[in-house]
Amino acid sequence: MIDLADYETYLTPNYGTPPILMTEGSGCQLTSATGETYLDCAGGIAVSALGHCHPALIESLTNQAQKVWHLSNTLANEPAIALAKALVHATALDQVFFCNSGAEANEAAIKAARRYASDRHGSDKDQILCFHNAFHGRTIATVTAGGQPKYMQGFGPMPGGFSHIPFNDCQALEAAISDQTCAVMVEPIQGEGGVRPICPTFFQKIRAACDRVDAVLIVDEVQSGMGRTGKLFAYEHAGVEPDILTSAKSLGCGFPIGATLCKHHVAEHLTAGTHGSTYGGNPMATAVALTALSLINQPDFLRRVEQSGQYFQAGLVQLNAQFGLFEKIRGRGLLIGAVLNTPFAGRANELVKLAHQEHLLTLVAGPDVHRFAPPLIISETQIDDALSRLERVYATFSADTAMEMN
Ligand SMILES: *Cc1c(COP(=O)(O)O)cnc(C)c1O
């Protein structure tokens, strides 16, 4: 028997001990080792865009598994070329570097930007401008880019050249950007940092500022991409073209893969030998992602994500009229955050725990935001089901806090 006691014994404690041991998934449902079913509005943290065990993904994975699993980048493989071609045709970017996770995709983006600046302007142009509440991954460089003390504490020394300014603050941007700026790195919706959408004019100002000083605009779409917001990538909403775009999470819909998409003028600086990853472009991963992309990048599919998001948000607004727990509901498509009012600040994790009791899987985005990132295939009936479970969650939370206040 494998159980959660073994988890504590044999896995490092960095995640704490998860509350539930899951064994199977299908569509928007997960089943625990004890046979209980859960409605999934977390999607493995914005990963399982096509739900669990999607038949077309299983077919692509098993077909590829019969052919060849791994070659390394000393040899070429068909799925990697096909996926790169499909991503380039679907976006404003020109060439693709493959890796295995979001952090690695951002690490490659940082290296590409540094190399571009160093080749063109010399080694003084090395400053990377990032934003408060950002999240770009957990490697030493990407936690530094994220800039959150809680993820950096005790891991120093951290690499230099990163600075942080307030998100959506045009004045701070103009004051901070200079000839030394090598890159600006930004999420179109800050995911982990609280589901905060970028203001389109701010996004456009970043683009203009980057053009002015020849800085590389890195758009981190690890969470917001692959249809999550109702466009294939969220930069499309603002009409701002990145020089580098990073993708992971829903790219493989649960099979590990990351990608760093570059414009030609950046890609050409990643000359032979400058960067690499043993698994990058792995045929199993790229075969699955190619199928995921072909299913997600359809006008009807993307329109439905937008509509489902509006439906979900409207339901949350209605619940909030009843309970008054939230200052606002924000996000786009099926990346949604309910921001707790000041008296309840810091208690979002309690909502996630209460939701478990209702057999509903949800997320936090920082201490104050209840986050939802369900599979993009979630139906209206399933959203209704989620909302009725949330009604009980918020009722219980309200009753508990009323008791504490008395
Ligand atoms: C999750 C996330 C990452 C890190 O991805 P990993 O696959 O966990 O390394 C980077 N950027 C954003 C915006 C993310 O949401």
Side-chain angles (χ1 to χ4, degrees):
M1 250 300 267
I2 295 290
D3 58 29
L4 284 173
D6 287 332
Y7 186 105
E8 264 180 47
T9 309
Y10 296 109
L11 281 94
T12 54
N14 51 303
Y15 299 112
T17 302
I20 310 164
L21 179 60
M22 291 294 185
T23 48
E24 279 174 45
S26 172
C28 296
Q29 187 170 288
L30 283 166
T31 305
S32 73
T34 53
E36 291 165 79
T37 59
Y38 290 79
L39 178 58
D40 187 5
C41 284
I45 318 187
V47 167
S48 310
L50 295 171
H52 301 279
C53 292
H54 190 288
L57 298 184
I58 293 176
E59 196 189 337
S60 296
L61 182 63
T62 51
N63 279 347
Q64 187 56 44
Q66 312 284 338
K67 291 183 187 165
V68 65
W69 284 27
H70 175 77
L71 293 162
S72 89
N73 289 295
T74 62
L75 300 165
N77 76 74
E78 288 174 336
I81 299 170
L83 176 61
K85 189 172 174 181
L87 283 169
V88 166
H89 285 292
T91 64
L93 289 301
D94 301 314
Q95 288 184 299
V96 185
F97 168 79
F98 287 121
C99 51
N100 316 288
S101 69
E104 280 176 79
N106 286 330
E107 190 85 21
I110 292 164
K111 285 182 72 178
R114 283 265 176 85
R115 191 73 180 211
Y116 170 87
S118 148
D119 285 351
R120 284 175 54 105
H121 303 277
S123 60
D124 282 349
K125 193 177 176 68
D126 61 1
Q127 296 296 308
I128 300 182
L129 193 55
C130 306
F131 297 93
H132 294 166
N133 299 307
F135 184 82
H136 298 296
R138 300 292 204 110
T139 63
I140 293 276
T142 56
V143 289
T144 307
Q148 306 221 33
K150 63 176 174 179
Y151 294 139
M152 290 196 278
Q153 228 155 43
F155 294 118
M158 305 316 257
F162 293 85
S163 58
H164 297 82
I165 58 169
F167 191 55
N168 284 335
D169 183 333
C170 295
Q171 264 182 329
L173 174 73
E174 295 304 332
I177 200 146
S178 76
D179 287 337
Q180 265 80 59
T181 307
C182 150
V184 177
M185 190 166 188
V186 69
E187 298 157 84
I189 295 184
Q190 290 188 325
E192 302 303 308
V195 192
R196 296 168 207 264
I198 197 167
C199 163
T201 52
F202 182 65
F203 208 176
Q204 286 149 11
K205 287 233 158 78
I206 295 177
R207 177 70 273 176
C210 284
D211 289 341
R212 206 168 62 233
V213 300
D214 196 27
V216 173
L217 173 52
I218 302 170
V219 177
D220 179 349
E221 296 239 27
V222 169
Q223 187 153 170
S224 61
M226 289 301 285
R228 176 63 49 191
T229 70
K231 297 271 189 200
L232 184 63
F233 287 102
Y235 75 84
E236 298 168 40
H237 293 294
V240 168
E241 289 192 7
D243 300 307
I244 300 180
L245 177 149
T246 58
S247 178
K249 291 206 166 97
S250 291
L251 179 58
C253 284
F255 204 91
I257 180 170
T260 307
L261 284 64
C262 303
K263 289 271 200 187
H264 279 307
H265 67 273
V266 175
E268 68 186 13
H269 293 271
L270 288 176
T271 52
T274 49
H275 192 50
S277 160
T278 301
Y279 276 132
N282 172 279
M284 310 259 282
T286 46
V288 171
L290 180 61
T291 302
L293 178 63
S294 71
L295 294 172
I296 290 170
N297 193 26
Q298 299 289 341
D300 287 349
F301 186 96
L302 294 170
R303 206 172 305 122
R304 239 199 53 164
V305 172
E306 175 108 57
Q307 286 162 359
S308 302
Q310 283 164 1
Y311 188 76
F312 204 141
Q313 282 209 31
L316 287 168
V317 167
Q318 239 172 18
L319 286 183
N320 200 36
Q322 210 175 326
F323 298 106
L325 295 175
F326 303 111
E327 176 196 320
K328 65 173 92 154
I329 314 294
R330 66 189 175 201
R332 185 134 196 192
L334 286 167
L335 181 55
I336 301 169
V339 187
L340 281 167
N341 272 324
T342 320
F344 314 113
R347 299 181 61 173
N349 60 346
E350 292 175 41
L351 296 173
V352 171
K353 281 186 195 146
L354 288 172
H356 284 157
Q357 290 169 21
E358 297 294 335
H359 287 206
L360 177 69
L361 303 172
T362 59
L363 299 162
V364 299
D368 308 330
V369 178
H370 198 192
R371 173 173 44 152
F372 309 95
L376 304 182
I377 56 165
I378 194 168
S379 68
E380 268 192 18
T381 315
Q382 286 168 320
I383 294 173
D384 286 337
D385 184 359
L387 289 166
S388 65
R389 293 176 202 225
L390 284 171
E391 183 174 2
R392 295 194 288 275
V393 168
Y394 296 149
T396 308
F397 183 83
S398 300
D400 288 355
T401 51
M403 258 187 5
E404 283 165 29
M405 281 169 190
N406 283 335

